[in-house]
Amino acid sequence: MAKKIKPELSLTQIINMSMGFLGIQMAFGLQNGNASRILANLGADVHELSWFWLVAPLQGLLYSLSSDIWETIHGVRWEEENLTF
């Protein structure tokens, strides 16, 4: 496997990336706030909305654990080179 070379980033490039990530986080925050309003309009109890936001991370945790257990039992490992996004 060839050694990956990391590009040298200037301070300006790092700041631009950080601002981009900040923008993405702000968009997620707006989307989350709007989704809370939609769920409340659909009849969800306002005091119970936090449970809706815990479901996704818990599902990810359970999926990750079950995937790791399956890979261990069956001896299959997903290689980074084989994954395409």
Side-chain angles (χ1 to χ4, degrees):
M1 186 162 103
K3 185 178 178 182
K4 295 182 180 178
I5 300 172
K6 295 182 181 180
E8 294 289 328
L9 298 176
S10 68
L11 181 62
T12 306
Q13 290 173 316
I14 293 172
I15 291 173
N16 283 337
M17 273 195 325
S18 298
M19 291 296 117
F21 292 140
L22 178 64
I24 290 171
Q25 290 298 319
M26 290 174 65
F28 283 148
L30 288 171
Q31 180 181 13
N32 196 1
N34 290 333
S36 295
R37 176 67 183 195
I38 291 169
L39 290 171
N41 286 342
L42 290 174
D45 185 15
V46 177
H47 300 290
E48 301 293 328
L49 279 178
S50 59
W51 292 108
F52 287 101
W53 305 123
L54 289 175
V55 170
L58 289 177
Q59 183 180 3
L61 175 68
L62 292 175
Y63 176 78
S64 177
L65 287 175
S66 62
S67 173
D68 287 345
I69 290 170
W70 187 86
E71 288 176 350
T72 302
I73 291 172
H74 296 287
V76 175
R77 277 292 192 218
W78 294 103
E79 300 289 332
E80 285 185 25
E81 301 88 39
N82 296 336
L83 297 177
T84 56
F85 296 103

